[in-house]
Amino acid sequence: MWKTITGEIKKIFTHKFFIVAIAAVTVVPMLYSYLYLDAFWDPYSRLEKLPVAVVNQDLGDENHKGVETVGAKFVDRLKDNKDVKWVFTSEKKALSGLDSDKYYAAFIIPEEFTKSTFSGAKNNPAKVNLIYCNNEKKNFLAAQVNSKVVRELQDNIQASISKEYTKAAFDALYSAKDGMITAKDGGKAISRGADKLSKAVPQIDKASEKFKISATQLRQGSARINQGVSAAQGAIMNSGNSLKSIGENLKAAIGKNPALATDPNIQGIIGELRSQEVSGAKTKAAIMQLGQGLTDYSRGAVQFAQGTEEFSKKVQILAPNLKKLSIGADHMATGLAQGSDKLAAELSTDSQTVANFVSDPVKLEEKRIHRVDNYGTGFAPYFIPLSLWVGAIMMFFVISPFFKKEDKKSKLTQVIGKYCAYGFVGLLQGILVSLAVLHLGLEPMQKIRMIGFILLMSLVFVAIMQCLITLLGDAGRIMAIILLILQLTSCGGTFPLELVPNFFRTLNPFMPFTYAVEALRELVSGDNMSVVTKDVLILLAIGAIAIALTTIFVEQGRKITEKMERRKLEAQNA
């Protein structure tokens, strides 16, 4: 058997055809892995080359700081953002470039952008509108990449608007806080005044009682004054009448005796009578004037007495209400003090700090259990088995799976001899693929074990190909391709297994790729060696079953292959 094995391997290096063909077959898996993974290794690191148009149509609006244009500030921020190749242009050029090959997406900042941003502070809030256009037909994955950029921009805009709104709201709250402090002091003053007023009510009540007594006495006194004035006026009238009667009697005596007219004594009496008459007239006038004044005074005294009585009644009504006022003022002052103190305690942080917190309230602490830095690292466990499977298929186009009929060898010798030749090429393929992914930047957690597993995987795939092609010929090659297609969709190498249709989830446990991808993920980014051990044992079992089936049915496979070749020739010559 050893001679057969070494002879098959020597053929690879002794014939030019085999040297060239095997060299090509050996390199293909490496190129397949290298080129695909290199293209997909880290597309997000090259986003600065992805052209995206930006159109600013914002007209601005007025707020408490004056006229501002949020769109212009947004554009300035994008100019400093190097994540994407931003191109600032007009709407016409942006849409035209989107239809052609110039832009992959376009952002349009509408005319109402600033107005909508400030609308929340003007009691008519409106959602801020940012127009995003993308041409998914041009490149669907580019559209998906851009959508990630859109979400980041949307989050930034929302955070900025939330920050502005929150700052304005808390500025107003701080003004209310200052007002509450002032109201607190005013409430205390009102409480003190109401308390003093309430305490003064008893004194006012006593004074009003005194007023009532005085008013009664005043009314009585004014009545006596009126009586006195009337008596004085009567006396004056009587005195005037007496003087008049004396004058008339004297005048009659002189008429009877003219000589009396020249009598000095009589003349003195006449003069005195005249003087008394003039004085009585003056006294009468004064008494009349005094009487009128005293009458007016009496009326005023009566009105004052009535007002005093009314005031006393009002004071009686006012007294309990003033007590209630004092109690209410105390409650108000206490409430204002408590509210002011609580507001002062709660609003201890400045509005800018609060706005910064509200705009970004959650600090996401990301703990990456098994770090995968880029697409290449994530897809390597998927592309490596794919490239080796393709390489295993290709080597059977160069090396025949059968010995010549005249070579009298046992089934096991034939199968093992050919398997070793194929396995030698498979090992070369595995080594080149390992070097390729390491050169691209793959940093596996278990480098040596990963390389060893890649070599084992290549040998298992060779055993599977040998079984299919040896037993089924060209139909086996077709079966290998069909099996490849089924494995690509059912191994969970791209989307999670839970997201694929049920048919592929059913196939998953029976596909070699399932265990190849799982083990490589652990070796590249994980550390669960029990999973790797399980996958290695399953792949070894699959390889052993494939070799056993090939050994058992190798002669039947030869017959099937010869029969298919004859029919192929017949079809070609027909």
Side-chain angles (χ1 to χ4, degrees):
M1 182 181 291
W2 177 251
K3 185 177 180 181
T4 302
I5 294 172
T6 55
E8 286 297 309
I9 295 175
K10 285 181 180 179
K11 286 182 182 179
I12 297 173
F13 299 101
T14 54
H15 296 82
K16 290 184 178 180
F17 170 77
F18 281 124
I19 293 174
V20 174
I22 293 300
V25 169
T26 304
V27 172
V28 165
M30 181 270 291
L31 292 175
Y32 197 90
S33 294
Y34 189 88
L35 297 178
Y36 265 91
L37 288 176
D38 186 40
F40 299 137
W41 193 259
D42 193 6
Y44 285 104
S45 66
R46 295 188 284 270
L47 282 180
E48 72 276 1
K49 298 178 181 179
L50 191 71
V52 177
V54 178
V55 180
N56 183 18
Q57 298 176 333
D58 187 18
L59 298 179
D61 194 25
E62 188 173 355
N63 66 355
H64 64 284
K65 297 180 181 178
V67 178
E68 290 193 38
T69 306
V70 178
K73 293 182 179 180
F74 181 55
V75 168
D76 291 339
R77 288 169 58 189
L78 290 182
K79 288 179 180 178
D80 296 332
N81 186 316
K82 305 302 180 184
D83 292 340
V84 176
K85 184 180 179 181
W86 305 107
V87 181
F88 303 94
T89 183
S90 65
E91 182 179 8
K92 182 178 180 180
K93 291 181 179 179
L95 296 179
S96 175
L98 198 60
D99 286 334
S100 62
D101 294 333
K102 194 169 184 179
Y103 305 123
Y104 282 91
F107 289 96
I108 300 177
I109 305 171
E111 296 178 354
E112 303 293 322
F113 190 77
T114 299
K115 188 174 182 180
S116 299
T117 302
F118 293 160
S119 63
K122 298 180 180 180
N123 299 322
N124 57 339
K127 288 189 176 182
V128 179
N129 189 28
L130 181 65
I131 302 171
Y132 168 63
C133 307
N134 68 78
N135 188 349
E136 293 185 353
K137 176 197 72 174
K138 184 176 180 180
N139 192 297
F140 179 74
L141 290 178
Q144 299 305 304
V145 171
N146 283 328
S147 66
K148 179 181 178 182
V149 177
V150 172
R151 287 191 295 271
E152 291 179 356
L153 290 177
Q154 185 180 16
D155 291 342
N156 289 335
I157 293 172
Q158 289 175 343
S160 178
I161 294 173
S162 297
K163 185 177 180 180
E164 291 295 327
Y165 282 177
T166 304
K167 187 176 184 302
F170 270 81
D171 284 340
L173 283 175
Y174 277 106
S175 297
K177 171 185 172 183
D178 296 337
M180 284 289 288
I181 294 173
T182 304
K184 170 185 174 182
D185 296 336
K188 289 180 178 178
I190 292 172
S191 178
R192 289 193 297 268
D195 187 55
K196 289 180 180 178
L197 187 59
S198 178
K199 291 177 180 178
V201 167
Q203 298 176 1
I204 295 172
D205 192 31
K206 290 179 181 179
S208 69
E209 288 296 328
K210 291 181 181 180
F211 273 135
K212 285 177 65 178
I213 295 170
S214 299
T216 302
Q217 294 172 351
L218 184 62
R219 182 181 292 176
Q220 294 172 352
S222 65
R224 293 193 187 100
I225 290 172
N226 285 334
Q227 293 174 358
V229 169
S230 298
Q233 287 178 343
I236 289 171
M237 290 296 292
N238 292 331
S239 176
N241 291 333
S242 297
L243 288 174
K244 186 177 180 181
S245 177
I246 292 171
E248 289 177 351
N249 291 331
L250 185 60
K251 190 179 289 185
I254 291 173
K256 292 178 179 182
N257 188 6
L260 291 176
T262 59
D263 187 341
N265 292 323
I266 295 301
Q267 289 179 350
I269 290 171
I270 291 171
E272 185 65 28
L273 287 172
R274 287 177 179 170
S275 176
Q276 288 294 327
E277 185 177 359
V278 171
S279 177
K282 290 181 179 179
T283 300
K284 180 181 179 180
I287 290 297
M288 293 298 290
Q289 187 175 1
L290 175 61
Q292 183 63 41
L294 288 173
T295 300
D296 293 340
Y297 168 75
S298 178
R299 290 174 183 169
V302 171
Q303 292 176 354
F304 174 75
Q306 292 173 346
T308 301
E309 291 174 355
E310 188 69 23
F311 172 72
S312 179
K313 293 178 181 178
K314 298 295 183 184
V315 167
Q316 297 300 320
I317 297 173
L318 179 64
N321 291 327
L322 283 176
K323 188 64 177 178
K324 293 179 181 178
L325 174 64
S326 177
I327 295 172
D330 288 340
H331 289 167
M332 180 188 71
T334 302
L336 284 173
Q338 291 175 349
S340 176
D341 294 341
K342 186 174 182 180
L343 193 60
E346 294 294 334
L347 291 178
S348 58
T349 308
D350 63 275
S351 58
Q352 185 63 52
T353 302
V354 175
N356 291 336
F357 169 76
V358 172
S359 63
D360 188 18
V362 179
K363 180 182 179 182
L364 182 63
E365 184 178 352
E366 184 179 5
K367 293 185 177 181
R368 302 171 72 174
I369 305 302
H370 297 293
R371 188 181 183 89
V372 177
D373 291 324
N374 46 57
Y375 273 76
T377 302
F379 277 111
Y382 179 69
F383 278 108
I384 291 172
L386 171 59
S387 61
L388 291 176
W389 189 275
V390 172
I393 294 175
M394 291 188 65
M395 70 176 66
F396 281 85
F397 288 99
V398 178
I399 304 174
S400 173
F402 300 107
F403 285 92
K404 296 177 181 179
K405 284 185 178 182
E406 50 271 19
D407 294 334
K408 302 297 182 180
K409 300 181 184 297
S410 66
K411 293 181 180 180
L412 181 61
T413 301
Q414 294 181 52
V415 172
I416 297 301
K418 288 293 183 180
Y419 175 76
C420 289
Y422 292 131
F424 179 78
V425 178
L427 291 175
L428 293 178
Q429 290 176 338
I431 292 171
L432 290 178
V433 167
S434 300
L435 294 176
V437 295
L438 292 174
H439 180 266
L440 284 173
L442 186 67
E443 298 178 354
M445 300 290 292
Q446 309 284 340
K447 183 183 293 186
I448 301 301
R449 290 176 177 175
M450 183 199 74
I451 295 173
F453 181 79
I454 290 175
L455 298 179
L456 169 66
M457 182 172 54
S458 181
L459 292 175
V460 172
F461 291 170
V462 166
I464 295 171
M465 292 304 116
Q466 184 183 21
C467 179
L468 292 174
I469 297 172
T470 300
L471 301 184
L472 301 175
D474 289 339
R477 293 185 177 90
I478 296 174
M479 285 292 296
I481 295 173
I482 293 174
L483 190 58
L484 173 64
I485 296 171
L486 293 175
Q487 291 186 110
L488 293 177
T489 53
S490 62
C491 68
T494 51
F495 290 102
L497 193 63
E498 291 79 6
L499 303 182
V500 300
N502 291 331
F503 172 73
F504 299 109
R505 289 206 297 270
T506 303
L507 291 178
N508 176 265
F510 305 102
M511 298 291 106
F513 270 29
T514 296
Y515 308 100
V517 171
E518 185 179 56
L520 283 173
R521 281 176 173 166
E522 290 296 331
L523 293 169
V524 171
S525 304
D527 54 8
N528 192 340
M529 294 309 298
S530 63
V531 173
V532 176
T533 302
K534 176 204 71 174
D535 295 332
V536 167
L537 293 175
I538 292 174
L539 288 176
L540 285 173
I542 292 173
I545 291 171
I547 292 175
L549 290 174
T550 306
T551 304
I552 295 170
F553 299 106
V554 62
E555 293 301 328
Q556 288 84 344
R558 182 193 296 272
K559 293 176 181 179
I560 292 173
T561 301
E562 291 175 349
K563 185 176 181 180
M564 292 182 66
E565 287 295 330
R566 286 196 300 270
R567 289 187 177 181
K568 188 190 301 184
L569 290 174
E570 291 174 359
Q572 291 174 353
N573 296 327

